[in-house]
Amino acid sequence: GRASRLFAEHSLLDRMLEDLANRAETGDWHLCDAIWDDVAARIEAHMQYEETALLEGFAGSSPEALVVAQELRDEHAHIRASLYELGE
């Protein structure tokens, strides 16, 4: 279901980000560049899934949920901006 998909995606993203951090620690940015596009694309796909499959329905469940959903969308916007900045 959705929960198992989210768990699996979060686990994969954690591993990918750990790999990216390890590569960055070497100081060789070519190692980071080798996986950057894949990392950024997977993060974007995951956020899109959360927004369409989860947040749309959740936001309509109560006024409080609408606030939480907007906060998560705002967080996603910040992540997107950071990914763009880092990818430059």
Side-chain angles (χ1 to χ4, degrees):
R2 290 180 185 169
S4 61
R5 176 178 173 173
L6 286 174
F7 180 78
E9 287 184 6
H10 280 215
S11 295
L12 173 63
L13 291 171
D14 285 345
R15 289 190 306 274
M16 292 179 82
L17 292 170
E18 183 177 349
D19 182 24
L20 185 63
N22 290 337
R23 290 167 182 248
E25 286 178 5
T26 70
D28 184 349
W29 297 108
H30 297 296
L31 294 174
C32 294
D33 288 344
I35 65 166
W36 176 255
D37 289 343
D38 190 37
V39 171
R42 286 182 184 268
I43 291 171
E44 176 59 34
H46 177 74
M47 291 189 300
Q48 286 181 11
Y49 174 74
E50 286 183 341
E51 291 167 1
T52 58
L54 303 174
L55 292 182
E56 288 179 7
F58 177 70
S61 65
S62 72
E64 295 83 9
L66 179 62
V67 171
V68 171
Q70 187 56 53
E71 288 172 353
L72 288 170
R73 286 187 185 101
D74 291 346
E75 182 179 318
H76 284 182
H78 176 74
I79 291 168
R80 285 182 175 103
S82 296
L83 289 172
Y84 177 78
E85 184 179 331
L86 289 169
E88 287 293 300

